[in-house]
Amino acid sequence: MTEFGAAIDLALGHAMVDDPKIVVFGEDTPLLRRELLVRFGPERVRPTPISESAFLGAAVGAALGGLRPVVEVQLVDFLMVGLSALVNEAAKIEAFSGGRWNVPIVVRATCGGGYGDAGQHEQALWGMLAGVPGLAVVVPSTPADAAGLMRASIENDGPVVFLEHKLLSRQWRDAMAGGRRESVTFDVPPDGADGPVLDPPPPVPLGSAIERRLGGDVTLISLGVGVHRCLSASEELGERGVECTVIDVRSVAPLDRAAIETAARRTGRVVAVDEDYTRGGLSGEIAAVVAEAGISARFARVTTEDTIPYARHLEDATLPNVDRIVSAVESLLD
Amino acid sequence: MKAPVPALELFHQMVRMRRFEEALSELWHQGRISGELHLGIGEEGIVAGVLDHLIEGDALALDHRPTPALVGRGTDLSLLALEMVGAETGLCRGHGGHMHLFDPERLAASSGIVGAAGPMACGFALSHQRLRPGRIAVAFSGESAINQGMMLESLNLAAVWELPVLFVVKDNGWAITTRSAEMTGGTLRKRAEGFGIAYTKVRGADVGAVWRAVGPMIDDLRRGRGPAMLHATCHRPSGHFEHDPLIRMVTSPREFAAESGPLTRSLADGSGGRIRDRIGGMRRVISTAAGMRVHLSKRRGDPVTRLEQTLDATAVARVRAAVEKEILSTLAEVGSP
Ligand SMILES: Cc1ncc(C[n+]2csc(CCOP(=O)(O)OP(=O)(O)O)c2C)c(N)n1
Ligand SMILES: [Mg+2]
């Protein structure tokens, strides 16, 4: 069994052996990625100042110059400080250069909530990033996918935002949530936190969804921690005779439209379960995919409506949870 | 004429900040406070020395360690404590928590985004220019926040708009596990002066020195002479946040020993870099760990005990008793889980 965060570093380590042009940098990277630092040396694994706009912008330039940077931003919330480098530079250059130049960077960041840190440190934000043409955004839900998607992200010739959920990664759970306190508990999905990973990990192609459960009544479409919440809800619904398909999209952009269409057509009922904000994001996009394919299906979504509050009980009610998923499914049955 | 340092009052405020945060640390360990709790233990000399010069209408832009400043500015301790435990009756109704504390009556706003205090203070100061002439805005930040783009831009904005902003840089030398000097080009003095901003450096362990340095700076700010920077050193003995695992990893001999297996494997791994690179990597890990261990074991530079030694013992006892009473009644409000 491999731990989620270790799976990512495993893939990164293999990629760095294969391609000396890969460099890794970010705030506190020398200690956070100390095994990679000791294995590959300080030239390839380096610290940055707290200067997100500069070091993300520098990653773009370094990629144009021939390197393949993997940049670590501790939280996706902090990525907002350096967004121009991604949205206005990295995402544009392949198109603007008429396809003659591309920007192979991976921005690795944590995301997600469920440990009481409030909405400036717990956002998902993958929807707004995925809305920009030229940016790929991936959100793994298992260690195997975390490794496989990291491998594919590094091999991709365009910019990829790779998001690891803090509830799944032990290192981040310990750091951000004080997870080693015995006085606190978090709803950590066991199959997301630890799982089998092949060594070396085979790449998981960007834009390929996977079916986690097959059932004929309702299709649940999710990613990251949401997938595990959907699986728990499906268990509960299964006991009442309601059979769910669970699709893990794994990648918000590119989005596997075919997988969504196939499942929606089969069940005629679709529930999007998205830890990101309701509006302008993945859940609406899923509805659009279904509608554009001419499928007549009933649709509901379980998302984050508001700013994520600090208090644990308020946070629990704000983030998608099993109860809300079950109610959403029930609302489509009658 | 030079006013005497109000030593007893400064001591009182520092002890309130200290004891309140020690109580918060306990609540965190009990699991009643969630998330990464960043305390300002060790920074009280800077905060108290600055706050004593503020008047009603002055504004505070706070960073990820906002609590001591709010305590010193007079925010009700019960409201703060209730917020920390996520109560509906807390300062922000349980929605903000320890990194996002807002007190509109005191024009105090905080943010967990490193560097955000700079632009926030500029905006407060702009509102002062039009709405509250003679009032100032104080931006509290760490020394590494000065490498943030928005912070550097704020220095320039404050200079060209001649804003009454006091940039207070609390310099503990570290940003989580990174030595700030290794990631900072040049000096803060030259940066400030490069923007035409008045700069003063002071030892934050000496609250009286902070108080004396800040007085004339704030007088100038109130007279509209543009922004200023106070660079104050400090020592935060407990590191970045409560129980930071990276810091524990380097400071706990047992946990560091547990690292030696994986690190030795990485060092021996011929598929990685040249041996010279690998040794360089190992050296960096060890020197960071050793540097942090030495840094955190330092016990000098505590502003509270330093001032305490100069004060009359009965006065000290009186202050401490009064603060204990205040903390106990605050904790009673918070109750047990
Ligand atoms: C924009 C942004 N980047 C990174 C972080 C993560 N972070 C929180 S505190 C911190 C270190 C800050 O160092 P310094 O400014 O010296 O303040 P100190 O913590 O030492 O008080 C970092 C990197 C953040 N909160 N915001
Ligand atoms: Mg610091």
Side-chain angles (χ1 to χ4, degrees):
Chain A
M1 293 292 253
T2 305
E3 188 273 327
F4 189 88
I8 300 170
D9 287 352
L10 176 72
L12 192 48
H14 278 292
M16 289 177 79
V17 169
D18 294 348
D19 186 351
K21 291 196 289 299
I22 297 171
V23 293
V24 177
F25 52 85
E27 292 156 23
D28 296 300
T29 295
L31 268 200
L32 276 173
R33 305 292 151 231
R34 53 193 172 274
E35 286 171 35
L36 294 175
L37 167 62
V38 173
R39 190 166 162 207
F40 296 100
E43 265 187 33
R44 294 184 68 190
V45 180
R46 61 171 68 209
T48 63
I50 309 176
S51 309
E52 284 84 2
S53 45
F55 71 73
L56 283 160
V60 178
L64 293 181
L67 294 178
R68 297 183 86 90
V70 176
V71 188
E72 184 154 10
V73 175
Q74 297 180 347
L75 274 72
V76 71
D77 316 71
F78 308 158
L79 186 57
M80 302 300 108
V81 173
L83 210 51
S84 182
L86 277 190
V87 173
N88 292 323
E89 316 299 336
K92 299 292 182 280
I93 287 169
E94 189 184 350
F96 281 171
S97 68
R100 297 182 59 228
W101 223 352
N102 45 37
V103 183
I105 66 173
V106 178
V107 177
R108 172 182 182 179
T110 70
C111 67
Y115 61 95
D117 220 7
Q120 203 182 60
H121 288 69
E122 291 202 322
Q123 299 172 94
L125 297 177
W126 47 65
M128 62 175 279
L129 293 167
V132 180
L135 284 186
V137 181
V138 300
V139 188
S141 69
T142 66
D145 278 0
L149 284 170
M150 177 48 87
R151 186 75 211 216
S153 299
I154 292 174
E155 285 170 2
N156 191 55
D157 281 333
V160 182
V161 180
F162 178 101
L163 297 176
E164 55 185 303
H165 201 291
K166 276 161 276 167
L167 279 190
L168 300 181
S169 153
R170 186 178 56 219
Q171 187 171 39
W172 289 108
R173 210 161 53 229
D174 281 2
M176 305 302 291
R180 285 203 238 167
R181 282 180 286 176
E182 274 165 18
S183 51
V184 288
T185 52
F186 309 104
D187 193 358
V188 178
D191 297 337
D194 296 280
V197 177
L198 295 175
D199 186 3
V204 169
L206 307 186
S208 67
I210 187 169
E211 200 169 73
R212 299 278 180 206
R213 183 184 171 112
L214 186 60
D217 297 321
V218 181
T219 298
L220 304 178
I221 301 175
S222 192
L223 74 177
V225 162
V227 171
H228 302 280
R229 307 286 184 250
C230 287
L231 290 170
S232 304
S234 304
E235 285 294 315
E236 208 175 303
L237 288 158
E239 283 163 21
R240 288 189 243 155
V242 179
E243 294 307 329
C244 298
T245 287
V246 176
I247 304 281
D248 178 354
V249 295
R250 303 198 283 198
S251 140
V252 191
L255 186 62
D256 189 343
R257 299 173 67 102
I260 295 170
E261 289 168 12
T262 306
R265 203 168 271 127
R266 194 173 61 226
T267 58
R269 297 184 189 92
V270 175
V271 178
V273 177
D274 183 9
E275 192 179 324
D276 201 359
Y277 299 126
T278 312
R279 287 165 291 280
L282 175 64
S283 62
E285 190 58 27
I286 290 169
V289 166
V290 173
E292 281 169 358
I295 300 164
S296 130
R298 302 196 61 186
F299 179 80
R301 51 182 163 173
V302 180
T303 55
T304 300
E305 280 279 344
D306 296 308
T307 297
I308 304 165
Y310 163 76
R312 289 292 301 278
H313 66 284
L314 299 176
E315 178 195 33
D316 283 348
T318 303
L319 298 175
N321 59 36
V322 173
D323 289 347
R324 287 176 60 200
I325 297 170
V326 169
S327 315
V329 168
E330 283 168 343
S331 77
L332 301 188
L333 290 176
D334 48 58
Chain B
M1 192 194 68
K2 279 212 168 112
V5 176
L8 207 57
E9 175 53 20
L10 293 174
F11 180 68
H12 181 213
Q13 289 303 342
M14 289 198 297
V15 175
R16 292 180 71 237
M17 295 169 193
R18 174 68 54 90
R19 291 294 299 124
F20 185 65
E21 289 205 305
E22 284 171 352
L24 293 184
S25 168
E26 225 163 280
L27 288 170
W28 187 88
H29 284 278
Q30 289 165 10
R32 300 204 52 204
I33 294 178
S34 59
E36 352 137 58
L37 177 62
H38 305 80
L39 299 176
I41 289 179
E43 298 180 351
E44 297 92 338
I46 305 170
V47 178
V50 170
L51 292 187
D52 193 69
H53 293 283
L54 300 191
I55 57 176
E56 204 185 323
D58 288 340
L60 293 178
L62 305 170
D63 65 359
H64 52 293
R65 308 183 191 280
T67 313
L70 290 172
V71 171
R73 194 72 174 125
T75 305
D76 184 84
L77 292 198
S78 303
L79 289 179
L80 281 172
L82 287 163
E83 182 62 27
M84 307 284 176
V85 299
E88 175 68 31
T89 47
L91 180 68
C92 305
R93 302 189 177 140
H95 282 253
H98 37 82
M99 260 189 295
H100 321 103
L101 295 167
F102 292 86
D103 187 343
E105 272 132 58
R106 285 167 191 78
L107 290 178
S110 35
S111 174
I113 297 300
V114 169
M120 185 70 82
C122 288
F124 274 135
L126 177 65
S127 76
H128 289 336
Q129 278 183 334
R130 294 192 55 82
L131 305 176
R132 285 172 294 274
R135 298 303 188 270
I136 68 161
V138 182
F140 279 103
S141 77
E143 77 292 345
S144 258
I146 303 295
N147 293 323
Q148 183 62 277
M150 66 179 111
M151 190 55 108
L152 290 162
E153 292 172 5
S154 297
L155 296 178
N156 184 54
L157 187 66
V160 298
W161 280 359
E162 298 176 338
L163 295 171
V165 176
L166 178 65
F167 294 93
V168 178
V169 182
K170 303 165 294 170
D171 182 356
N172 73 324
W174 289 78
I176 315 187
T177 64
T178 303
R179 242 183 285 229
S180 297
E182 287 176 14
M183 287 293 114
T184 305
T187 64
L188 290 199
R189 171 186 295 280
K190 286 199 175 143
R191 286 191 189 183
E193 288 171 358
F195 287 110
I197 292 178
Y199 168 97
T200 301
K201 185 167 184 181
V202 69
R203 277 193 63 206
D206 182 349
V207 64
V210 175
W211 188 90
R212 281 191 301 271
V214 169
M217 295 175 89
I218 290 189
D219 288 345
D220 282 350
L221 283 162
R222 294 200 193 285
R223 291 197 197 101
R225 298 202 183 142
M229 180 188 287
L230 179 75
H231 179 187
T233 55
C234 64
H235 178 56
R236 275 204 325 271
S238 54
H240 187 66
F241 51 66
E242 286 303 284
H243 241 56
D244 184 334
L246 276 183
I247 288 173
R248 217 172 26 193
M249 190 270 290
V250 297
T251 50
S252 144
R254 198 165 48 88
E255 298 209 12
F256 197 63
E259 290 294 319
S260 65
L263 288 181
T264 310
R265 273 196 297 283
S266 301
L267 183 65
D269 189 340
S271 72
R274 292 161 304 179
I275 185 67
R276 189 157 50 88
D277 295 331
R278 283 178 272 147
I279 290 173
M282 192 63 148
R283 215 175 257 147
R284 187 175 249 288
V285 172
I286 289 171
S287 88
T288 304
M292 177 149 291
R293 218 175 290 152
V294 169
H295 167 70
L296 293 179
S297 65
K298 214 177 78 172
R299 279 292 165 270
R300 283 169 300 142
D302 179 11
V304 179
T305 51
R306 191 190 148 108
L307 180 60
E308 182 163 8
Q309 283 155 11
T310 70
L311 296 174
D312 168 60
T314 40
V316 164
R318 219 170 30 235
V319 166
R320 286 207 174 269
V323 171
E324 279 330 288
K325 208 168 134 201
E326 189 184 12
I327 298 293
L328 272 181
S329 79
T330 301
L331 289 177
E333 295 269 343
V334 170
S336 37

